[in-house]
Amino acid sequence: MEEHTTNYKDTFIAVADDCPTAVGEIPPVKGDKKSVANIQFELVSKNPYRFTSDDVLFQVYAERNELTEGELEQGRKLFFSKGQPCFRASPLTKRYGWGVHSDSKGKIAIYGRETDEYARFVNSGDVKVVKAMKSSR
């Protein structure tokens, strides 16, 4: 079974052109179940450069599907046996104003589009810059 990945290295995912916010916003919690955006934001903002994109996306899947500890290894293999949307399709980059930096090891951190760090990544030329996907065509 081929394993697909969403990981980037030395890359910055800039906010989508049609993102409605000028600053990085904390995704609001609606109801009693965390959204994909809530889980992604918590994991990455509290643990910069600790997890890869694959780690975060699988954790969201595992949490939302209530996988048990014993189901995680097989669940991850199954999850990545087919292609998954990367952080270019994340609500953080499309809706909430966060850019995602992947370091040389593929570990990620987020930066609000209003920050100096965001501007530095977009303008430095040190990393490849890709845009998040637009919400509308």
Side-chain angles (χ1 to χ4, degrees), residues 1-54:
M1 192 164 29
E2 183 184 348
E3 191 166 311
H4 299 269
T5 185
T6 65
N7 293 340
Y8 284 93
K9 291 184 179 176
D10 295 318
T11 303
F12 188 75
I13 301 172
V15 172
D17 288 336
D18 63 351
C19 179
T21 181
V23 298
E25 294 179 349
I26 298 172
V29 177
K30 300 171 187 159
D32 54 350
K33 193 167 185 184
K34 290 180 187 175
S35 69
V36 168
N38 295 131
I39 300 168
Q40 288 178 349
F41 180 80
E42 281 185 12
L43 281 171
V44 182
S45 67
K46 292 178 181 175
N47 301 284
Y49 299 112
R50 181 172 172 199
F51 300 115
T52 65
S53 172
D54 283 356

Side-chain angles (χ1 to χ4, degrees), residues 79-93:
F79 183 72
F80 288 110
S81 68
K82 56 185 186 280
Q84 298 295 331
C86 68
F87 263 87
R88 290 185 59 221
S90 166
L92 296 182
T93 58

Side-chain angles (χ1 to χ4, degrees), residues 75-109:
R76 188 175 174 116
K77 285 180 183 170
L78 189 61
F79 183 72
F80 288 110
S81 68
K82 56 185 186 280
Q84 298 295 331
C86 68
F87 263 87
R88 290 185 59 221
S90 166
L92 296 182
T93 58
K94 291 174 65 171
R95 162 65 188 90
Y96 293 106
W98 297 97
V100 178
H101 177 241
S102 299
D103 69 10
S104 61
K105 296 177 183 160
K107 307 287 183 162
I108 63 174

